[in-house]
Amino acid sequence: MNIIPVIICGGAGTRLWPVSREAFPKPLLKLADGQSLLQKTFLRATRVASEKEVLVVTNRETFFLTKDECADVRADVSRVGFVLEPSARNTAAAIGVAAQVVREEHGADAIMLVMPADQLIEDEAAFGVAIEHAARAAREGQLVTFGIRPTCPETGYGYIEYEAHPLPGTDAVHKVVRFIEKPELRVAQELVADGHHLWNAGIFCFTAETLLAELQCHAPGVLEPALAAVEEARRSTASDGFSVELNADRFNEAQDISIDYAVMERSDKVAVVPCELGWSDIGSWLAISELTAPDPEGNRIHGEAELYDVGNCFVRSDERLIGMVGVHDLIVVDTPDALLIAERSRAQDVKQIVAKLKRANHQSYRLHRTVHRPWGTYTVLEEGDRFKMKRIVVKPGASLSLQMHHHRSEHWIVVSGCADIVNGDKVISLQPNESTYIPAGHKHRLINPGVLDLVLIEVQCGEYLGEDDIVRFEDIYGRAPAA
């Protein structure tokens, strides 16, 4: 069977703040083994792809991060396609555009296996068996979802009620009776006890044609803009893959609705495969903590910590030593610019902090102190009245845009690597311990011509130092002329 895995890589993961942020979303979160959730999903996808091809739907702004994450793992894959969304319009639009791309590339009967980029599956052998059952039902026109047999009355998941007897011609696929929103604890206990309810995993299997037909029937406000966005997309191809950059005007017209609300709860073709996969959607720090073995006091530590009379706590720190005395049942997550402290029982409420930060337009809901760009990273080291210091790392062969600032001048000092610099009408090369000065109003560009990272220190001076004081004249990454 021609199975094309489709990875939906979106969602800020607000319950995993301060590690997950809008410009560095949840799928990029690294686990204790050094792999990100996206990388684990990508490797899983390559193992089930019959054509050794994977399609990834991601945001245009995080495309370079998503592509790098996939490229950094050794995977048995011949081609990777990327569908680039100009904005977030929820899962119905994301899956709709993916279905159209799959239909164009592989035909209407191609089977899509749609997977979120931020889940863990421990039993991949069982997952493979479930996919086989789902794919056979998908060939018969079913919209198949994967349901996880519940192990506890979880209130953070949606539930699926299903008929006891399998569909004719199958022994493991059942008709869905209804979907149930995240229930309160009493209801969740009843659903788990009756044996006919499953957790909704958000994993789907169907042919491209079936999904598009059901969208046309139940959600034309999603489908028609999605098709137009693909038709008017900007495309590029290479030997190892392709990208489809959706037309922003068309895509932004799509209804903002989930695939569950748009189709799965309305169609009469919906079926479910009950599974036991060792599945987790890593939806909170409580779920993350369960991935680390506890010490005798029930504490789970990721990083460096010294504890005294502490019990049942989760501590994550990537850089600093954390000391804790006489506390219990806490979640502590430390990053260079933000610290989270929460009761374990309130892990789901972390998203409320992010909502408050967003309303206040505080940059920590969106950016880390180290900010990723297509060419590398920059880290704000210190800032004050009329000055800002950054550590800039430019990847080998990469370059910043040809740009200009109205309100600030910049001093660049090379620490390691080599730099080619456009500064007004001059082009110069700098080695370590050499520097240059760029006045406000000068066109300039930073290029790394070497094979090693270029590291430099930038000192900005001026009356306004915001990141939006950038006018771009040329950019190899296709970003807007003005930021």
Side-chain angles (χ1 to χ4, degrees), residues 442-455:
H442 272 218
K443 287 185 180 181
H444 59 278
R445 168 176 268 162
L446 177 61
I447 304 164
N448 180 0
V451 296
L452 301 175
D453 283 347
L454 164 63
V455 181

Side-chain angles (χ1 to χ4, degrees), residues 409-427:
S409 60
E410 296 176 340
H411 302 257
W412 288 347
I413 305 101
V414 175
V415 176
S416 63
C418 55
D420 287 346
I421 295 170
V422 176
N423 187 355
D425 297 330
K426 299 178 181 179
V427 179

Side-chain angles (χ1 to χ4, degrees), residues 329-342:
D329 302 313
L330 292 182
I331 293 169
V332 178
V333 181
D334 188 39
T335 69
D337 65 337
L339 170 66
L340 169 70
I341 302 173

